[in-house]
Amino acid sequence: MTADSLTAAALLDQALVEEATKKSGLIWVRGPGPDAPSRVVWHVWHEGAACVVGDGPGEQPLTGLADGDSAVVTVRSKDKGGRLVSWAASVVELAPDSPAWEAAVAELKGKRLNAPDGEAMPARWARECRVLRLEPAGSTLPLPDHDLAEAPAPTRATTRRPIPAAVPRLLFGRRRKRK
């Protein structure tokens, strides 16, 4: 291959990673190591990297991701949910209240759904959470050939149980027949 074709292939890979990651609301992220679990996380694409927030109360877990580590990001299709592209990333933890942190949080804040504290969210993130940038590092990777599903992270939340049989009658009563 010539230098021009390598450059063109690298530019195509970069464009694929950026467009696919921008359009997808969720990505799978696997930390370093062969046995590291893949976690699904919500993110925003900001200034050439996927930015995520987590590891605080009520936020997504970012277990196994540390500043300076590498990670593998797998992007899904927003329409069909299938895997589009996998790419290597370098993990950069942003220092709270730094200019890069402020810019990333401004983007993340707009995408955070159901936040319990609204406008106070950035201050809580600065105190209790981590904001990470997953920066593309190199070309795309082969798509994983195995299931990326993992056991759910431990939580206090419980599953709804079936309602007792008598509840519908109590709530809606028996309908009286009209004469």
Side-chain angles (χ1 to χ4, degrees), residues 24 83 90-91 137 158 171:
S24 180
R83 301 171 193 166
S90 58
V91 179
T158 60
L171 293 176

Side-chain angles (χ1 to χ4, degrees), residues 47-92:
E47 295 181 355
C51 296
V52 296
V53 63
D55 280 352
E59 300 296 340
Q60 60 194 351
L62 300 176
T63 326
L65 297 175
D67 190 30
D69 280 348
S70 62
V72 174
V73 177
T74 303
V75 181
R76 72 177 185 101
S77 164
K78 191 171 185 171
D79 297 336
K80 304 289 183 187
R83 301 171 193 166
L84 288 178
V85 65
S86 283
W87 47 277
S90 58
V91 179
V92 177

Side-chain angles (χ1 to χ4, degrees), residues 98-166:
S98 68
W101 185 90
E102 294 284 345
V105 165
E107 294 292 321
L108 287 162
K109 182 181 168 189
K111 297 291 183 183
R112 173 64 163 92
L113 301 177
N114 303 324
D117 48 0
E119 293 301 317
M121 186 172 37
R124 179 175 56 87
W125 285 351
R127 282 188 323 271
E128 302 170 356
C129 298
R130 297 187 307 144
V131 176
L132 304 178
R133 279 179 55 87
L134 304 173
E135 300 173 346
S139 61
T140 58
L141 303 171
L143 289 173
D145 58 355
H146 61 282
D147 188 6
L148 293 179
E150 297 286 337
T155 179
R156 297 182 329 214
T158 60
T159 333
R160 263 179 85 175
R161 294 181 183 90
I163 61 172

